[in-house]
Amino acid sequence: MLNPFSKEKVANIYQQKNTLKILVLAVSAIIAAVSIYYTNSLVKDLKEREKTYIDLYAKTIEMSANQDNLEIPFLFQEIIVPNNNIPVILTDNMGNYVSHRNIDIKESYSKEKKDEIIAKELAEMQEAHQHIEIVLKDPKTGMVYDYQHVYYKNSFLLTQLQYYPYIQLSVIAGFGLLVYLIFSYSRTAEQNRVWIGMAKETAHQLGTPLSSLMAWLEYFRADPDVYDDSIVKELDKDISRLEMITARFSSIGSIPTLKEENLYLAIKNTVNYLQTRISSKVRMHLQSESEMIRVLINKPLFDWVIENICKNAVDAMSGVGDITIRIMHDKNNKVVIDITDTGKGIPKSKINQVFTPGYTTKKRGWGLGLSLAQRIIENYHKGKIFVKHSEIDVGTTFRIILDAHTSVNGKPLKEEAQALA
Ligand SMILES: Nc1ncnc2c1ncn2[C@@H]1O[C@H](COP(=O)(O)OP(=O)(O)OP(=O)(O)O)[C@@H](O)[C@H]1O
Ligand SMILES: [Mg+2]
């Protein structure tokens, strides 16, 4: 059975969330497609109906014009086929305006304005549909004496109906996006509170045994009877380690202050520290464009990032291989740190997942190392971290990008010069 906090469960939650996202997207796409398809078929029907209607209307005009009886035109045009919504222009054989219907032209308009509107409408109608020809015959002899043309375009209703689903779907999508943003914002805020709260509490709880240990150390130092050099040395080391852990947790639990640091020296320290603790078959190399690149970092947190990435690298190489850290400037004058291993690599399909909390391929891993690293680099340092390159059985390169500090490559300070010497 899965316990609710097991890593399988955590990984499962992310898996389910992704499946749910895909499902919601798929259902939305289907709804949108069906709604557009349905309206399009309505539009098609209505278009055909309007075409039939205009044909009939043109026939009515033709019949009315070819009639002797003056009452019949009125009967047809106003009662039998009254066209009250399709815009129509009637022209003579040469395309000159004769009359119109359902075009918004007020009596009060000047002649120029009326002509202008007619010309514009006519141009639109010529684009929209093929005109219909009316044959004028002498009612008595049946001789053809002239032709007229009926031009028309879609009714306002039809035009609106064509755009309606797009407008409706955009409004719904916009609203959906807004709701999603609000929810994801409040979820992120909640996650932040949990991270910060837990970290603060851990730092706080570590504080008590740590000060007690320090007091014991002082006691050992002060009493020559119990003083033992090797024990005190080891104790001292453990206390520094605990102090470092406390500093990390308390930094992540507050708004960490960034300080100008020599990046090369900071990483060199971490490398030296790690080198003594990992397999001797892993060689660590540090290369830097310059030993004087300074950046704004929070050292306890930044060290944690480098440590997490290097530990992953050691795991990926099963304890044998090379880790190379390169520090350089990119063309945008940002500071780039590439950490390359010669390990087993990350499959392409998993590269996007390695920063997800809970994603792990290790028996004893929690899948938190990289998500913590991402949080530290992106939230606290406003930098970037990503997998630059990975090849199965060849190795992986993680890249960190930080803003260069204004005094990059400045003159070495006294303590820097000493440390570099
Ligand atoms: N250098 C690397 N080479 C190959 N795979 C890696 C590398 N770094 C990370 N990964 C993959 O990404 C996963 C997530 O790494 P992450 O550090 O977040 O968690 P973890 O190491 O599994 O556990 P934790 O760090 O919490 O102990 C790893 O389990 C591993 O599959
Ligand atoms: Mg890890």
Side-chain angles (χ1 to χ4, degrees), residues 307-309 311-313 315 360 362 365-370:
E307 207 180 295
N308 275 335
I309 296 177
K311 277 186 178 161
N312 282 345
D315 291 341
T360 182
K362 298 172 194 168
W366 275 96
L368 288 180
L370 285 178

Side-chain angles (χ1 to χ4, degrees), residues 31-45 161 165:
I31 293 175
V34 169
S35 134
I36 288 173
Y37 175 79
Y38 181 68
T39 328
N40 277 351
S41 64
L42 272 184
V43 166
K44 206 173 140 224
D45 273 2
L161 194 63

Side-chain angles (χ1 to χ4, degrees), residues 97-112:
Y97 168 79
V98 176
S99 70
H100 72 263
R101 280 203 81 138
N102 303 325
I103 294 174
D104 192 19
I105 298 178
K106 298 214 166 53
E107 274 310 311
S108 56
Y109 287 174
S110 65
K111 186 174 177 314
E112 287 78 36

Side-chain angles (χ1 to χ4, degrees), residues 156-215:
F156 184 56
L157 181 74
L158 182 57
T159 316
Q160 267 189 321
L161 194 63
Q162 268 173 332
Y163 297 115
Y164 177 71
Y166 298 101
I167 295 170
Q168 190 191 34
L169 289 172
S170 322
V171 170
I172 294 174
F175 183 69
L177 190 70
L178 189 74
V179 170
Y180 174 78
L181 287 180
I182 291 172
F183 273 103
S184 86
Y185 174 79
S186 68
R187 202 187 51 214
T188 313
E190 195 179 304
Q191 280 175 357
N192 283 344
R193 277 203 300 278
V194 174
W195 271 95
I196 290 170
M198 283 295 289
K200 256 192 187 149
E201 181 61 18
T202 309
H204 179 71
Q205 298 223 4
L206 276 172
T208 326
L210 189 60
S211 24
S212 153
L213 270 176
M214 278 157 127

Side-chain angles (χ1 to χ4, degrees), residues 305-357:
V305 172
I306 302 294
E307 207 180 295
N308 275 335
I309 296 177
C310 289
K311 277 186 178 161
N312 282 345
V314 173
D315 291 341
M317 300 188 295
S318 308
V320 188
D322 291 87
I323 300 176
T324 311
I325 305 180
R326 274 188 209 94
I327 307 173
M328 60 212 143
H329 282 100
D330 70 358
K331 47 183 187 303
N332 303 320
N333 205 28
K334 301 228 175 200
V335 176
V336 175
I337 305 152
D338 278 352
I339 303 168
T340 306
D341 63 52
T342 53
K344 63 177 161 56
I346 307 170
K348 274 217 161 58
S349 59
K350 302 289 181 216
I351 285 184
N352 286 332
Q353 292 182 35
V354 294
F355 291 100
T356 313

Side-chain angles (χ1 to χ4, degrees), residues 163-379:
Y163 297 115
Y164 177 71
Y166 298 101
I167 295 170
Q168 190 191 34
L169 289 172
S170 322
V171 170
I172 294 174
F175 183 69
L177 190 70
L178 189 74
V179 170
Y180 174 78
L181 287 180
I182 291 172
F183 273 103
S184 86
Y185 174 79
S186 68
R187 202 187 51 214
T188 313
E190 195 179 304
Q191 280 175 357
N192 283 344
R193 277 203 300 278
V194 174
W195 271 95
I196 290 170
M198 283 295 289
K200 256 192 187 149
E201 181 61 18
T202 309
H204 179 71
Q205 298 223 4
L206 276 172
T208 326
L210 189 60
S211 24
S212 153
L213 270 176
M214 278 157 127
W216 277 110
L217 191 64
E218 283 318 304
Y219 171 76
F220 284 137
R221 279 210 178 106
D223 191 340
D225 288 345
V226 283
Y227 185 83
D228 180 325
D229 196 39
S230 62
I231 293 183
V232 167
K233 249 194 196 142
E234 283 308 307
L235 250 170
D236 216 7
K237 257 197 213 159
D238 282 339
I239 288 179
S240 328
R241 173 80 185 156
L242 271 174
E243 273 177 337
M244 187 179 79
I245 295 172
T246 314
R248 285 175 180 177
F249 277 102
S250 84
S251 303
I252 211 161
S254 56
I255 298 165
T257 43
L258 304 185
K259 242 181 77 192
E260 183 179 321
E261 300 276 356
N262 182 315
L263 186 65
Y264 174 76
L265 280 180
I267 295 182
K268 196 172 158 211
N269 271 338
T270 314
V271 167
N272 288 343
Y273 172 81
L274 286 171
Q275 188 76 75
T276 57
R277 277 163 181 78
I278 55 179
S279 142
S280 57
K281 289 192 193 122
V282 172
R283 283 177 307 261
M284 295 190 73
H285 315 274
L286 175 59
Q287 303 165 359
S288 182
E289 203 178 77
S290 146
E291 292 177 355
M292 285 307 306
I293 295 180
R294 291 215 195 92
V295 283
L296 283 181
I297 51 172
N298 178 287
K299 203 157 169 306
L301 293 184
F302 187 77
D303 289 347
W304 205 354
V305 172
I306 302 294
E307 207 180 295
N308 275 335
I309 296 177
C310 289
K311 277 186 178 161
N312 282 345
V314 173
D315 291 341
M317 300 188 295
S318 308
V320 188
D322 291 87
I323 300 176
T324 311
I325 305 180
R326 274 188 209 94
I327 307 173
M328 60 212 143
H329 282 100
D330 70 358
K331 47 183 187 303
N332 303 320
N333 205 28
K334 301 228 175 200
V335 176
V336 175
I337 305 152
D338 278 352
I339 303 168
T340 306
D341 63 52
T342 53
K344 63 177 161 56
I346 307 170
K348 274 217 161 58
S349 59
K350 302 289 181 216
I351 285 184
N352 286 332
Q353 292 182 35
V354 294
F355 291 100
T356 313
Y359 174 77
T360 182
T361 53
K362 298 172 194 168
K363 254 203 176 124
R364 302 188 56 191
W366 275 96
L368 288 180
L370 285 178
S371 59
L372 183 75
Q374 188 179 46
R375 209 179 160 76
I376 291 172
I377 294 298
E378 295 185 353
N379 293 15

